[in-house]
Amino acid sequence: MTVIMRSLETAVPETVMVQSDVRDVFAAQPGLSRLGTRLVGAAFDSSGIQTRYTAVKEMTLDASSENPVFFDSAERRILSPSTKVRNEVYAEEGTKLFVEAAGKALAAAEGIEPTDITHVITVSCTGFFNPGPDYKVVRALGLSPAVQRYHLGFMGCYAAFPALRAAKSFCEAEPDAVVLVVAAELCSLHVRSSNNPDTIVGSSLFADGAAAAVISAREYTGTAPALSLDFFETVLTPVGEESMAWNIGDEGFEMVLGTYVPHIIDEHIVGALEPLLARDVTLAEKQYKDIEHWAIHPGGRSILDKVEAKLDLKEDQLVPARETLRDYGNMSSATVMFVLKHILDQPFTGQDERICSMAFGPGLTVETALFTKVGP
């Protein structure tokens, strides 16, 4: 049975953050030490990011508000709202992103109507509310009230893969199933000024965005290339539990992103790939660079550099990940789906093209997947 991703669409908020402008704002915050100022410059300048998007409309230099909550543009000062205030914005603005991405994916899925959707899986780690985004998507898009709904919360940057794996399992168990997967993250809600290196790195990387896909084992008769969901694997590295984490604080969620993370990935990426590639005998004798496409979650520029060097990949194989990082930043769970869409939108060669994909998150968890780009 072949399970096909029939559409893949993305959405971002309207407000653009230019990386150099954000760097200058963070570097000028009161209370920042001399070392902190240097760390801000180094983190932002080496990030590989040019632009990011935020659902917080105040987070621009030209914003104007009598009672600013997140950013006082007049004084160029980053404010510290409570977790409750941040979460209220998540509930309002996050709903918009979930619905927009899901609506675009549904509209792009040829031969699929809203009434065909049997399962909805939503993914997010940047806020909580209930009835949640799964409920909001069903109501906003006019899906059947009998749709089975699942929400994967607080898993982090790798969470798109458990969602896609669950969608594949649903379709294999119920051949007529049509699953809508939606990942949306509002990471910018949790930025803050700090001298803490982890916080500074997080502030230089994270952004807001959403991605959605329609998945089914029904016969595919569309006119555009699609993705076959082939295999998924999960590996926990033997070290790194304290190196990447996501905790709830009084003034937003707190990211732990240790500088040792790229080294952990460098040491364990080959072992993490072994169980995945063993699932397909046609890949046994291939070098990594002989697999046509690599959809790597761009957790940061240094992570992509380590992956490229360790696996001896060709420079152009990391272009989808690097361009996603450059144009959008790290949107946590949604990001790897942006990378997959970049690959899916490339001209189709006329022959099936394999995609090896990886994402990393708290634990340290390495999620891997094999896809095939197939013709209509």
Side-chain angles (χ1 to χ4, degrees):
M1 178 183 295
T2 302
V3 178
I4 297 291
M5 184 185 294
R6 302 169 72 106
S7 66
L8 175 56
E9 298 293 329
T10 61
V12 292
E14 294 181 357
T15 302
V16 181
M17 297 190 297
V18 178
Q19 186 76 338
S20 57
D21 292 343
V22 181
R23 175 202 61 204
D24 293 345
V25 167
F26 271 86
Q29 292 306 296
L32 203 63
S33 67
R34 186 175 300 177
L35 175 59
T37 301
R38 291 202 300 268
L39 289 175
V40 166
F44 279 75
D45 290 344
S46 64
S47 65
I49 298 170
Q50 294 180 6
T51 55
R52 294 181 279 169
Y53 293 82
T54 176
V56 183
K57 298 178 178 64
E58 293 178 355
M59 298 287 281
T60 60
L61 294 176
D62 57 358
S64 177
S65 175
E66 292 184 2
N67 299 295
V69 177
F70 286 84
F71 178 61
D72 186 336
S73 60
E75 298 186 6
R76 297 170 68 94
R77 186 163 59 92
I78 298 168
L79 306 177
S80 297
S82 67
T83 301
K84 179 179 186 296
V85 169
R86 298 175 196 257
N87 197 66
E88 287 172 346
V89 176
Y90 171 86
E92 180 177 353
E93 299 299 328
T95 294
K96 296 175 184 177
L97 271 183
F98 272 105
V99 171
E100 180 183 352
K104 290 170 68 175
L106 190 55
E110 298 177 67
I112 298 295
E113 300 297 329
T115 52
D116 292 324
I117 300 297
T118 57
H119 302 69
V120 171
I121 304 173
T122 52
V123 180
S124 192
C125 69
T126 47
F128 301 94
F129 63 96
N130 201 4
D134 50 317
Y135 172 92
K136 297 292 187 180
V137 166
V138 169
R139 289 300 194 197
L141 299 183
L143 308 185
S144 166
V147 163
Q148 296 183 36
R149 310 190 327 265
Y150 303 86
H151 181 70
L152 300 184
F154 222 66
M155 297 183 77
C157 293
Y158 63 82
F161 284 144
L164 294 175
R165 182 170 56 235
K168 176 179 168 66
S169 295
F170 291 150
C171 292
E172 289 172 337
E174 303 176 36
D176 286 332
V178 181
V179 185
L180 176 61
V181 174
V182 197
E185 304 287 8
L186 275 64
C187 305
S188 71
L189 292 177
H190 304 290
V191 300
R192 61 176 62 78
S193 177
S194 173
N195 287 300
N196 181 284
D198 288 349
T199 304
I200 290 172
V201 171
S203 298
S204 74
L205 290 175
F206 285 100
D208 303 350
V214 174
I215 296 162
S216 180
R218 295 182 183 182
E219 182 182 3
Y220 180 60
T221 58
T223 59
L227 293 182
S228 166
L229 278 60
D230 301 333
F231 304 106
F232 294 88
E233 290 289 343
T234 301
V235 170
L236 299 180
T237 61
V239 295
E241 183 176 347
E242 305 300 325
S243 297
M244 189 184 296
W246 191 224
N247 303 310
I248 299 176
D250 292 334
E251 296 178 349
F253 299 170
E254 300 168 352
M255 165 58 69
V256 176
L257 190 61
T259 57
Y260 194 60
V261 168
H263 301 286
I264 297 173
I265 292 172
D266 181 60
E267 292 172 2
H268 297 285
I269 187 173
V270 171
L273 281 170
E274 285 178 355
L276 178 75
L277 299 181
R279 300 285 297 276
D280 188 338
V281 294
T282 66
L283 301 178
E285 302 302 323
K286 282 191 174 184
Q287 297 183 20
Y288 297 119
K289 62 185 175 183
D290 292 333
I291 299 174
E292 290 92 335
H293 302 287
W294 286 80
I296 307 300
H297 167 68
R301 181 179 177 180
S302 59
I303 289 176
L304 295 180
D305 290 345
K306 288 290 186 182
V307 170
E308 183 176 338
K310 187 69 174 182
L311 302 183
D312 191 28
L313 299 179
K314 292 176 285 189
E315 186 175 331
D316 62 349
Q317 290 177 302
L318 268 292
V319 166
R322 294 192 188 277
E323 291 191 352
T324 296
L325 182 66
R326 180 195 68 195
D327 297 339
Y328 299 100
N330 183 341
M331 300 164 286
S332 191
S333 67
T335 319
V336 74
M337 295 177 73
F338 276 67
V339 180
L340 286 169
K341 180 170 174 56
H342 190 297
I343 294 171
L344 189 58
D345 288 346
Q346 293 176 10
F348 186 55
T349 62
Q351 297 182 337
D352 291 355
E353 305 167 23
R354 294 310 290 277
I355 303 168
C356 188
S357 190
M358 305 182 73
F360 320 97
L364 187 74
T365 302
V366 183
E367 288 279 351
T368 60
L370 278 174
F371 304 96
T372 303
K373 183 176 176 180
V374 297

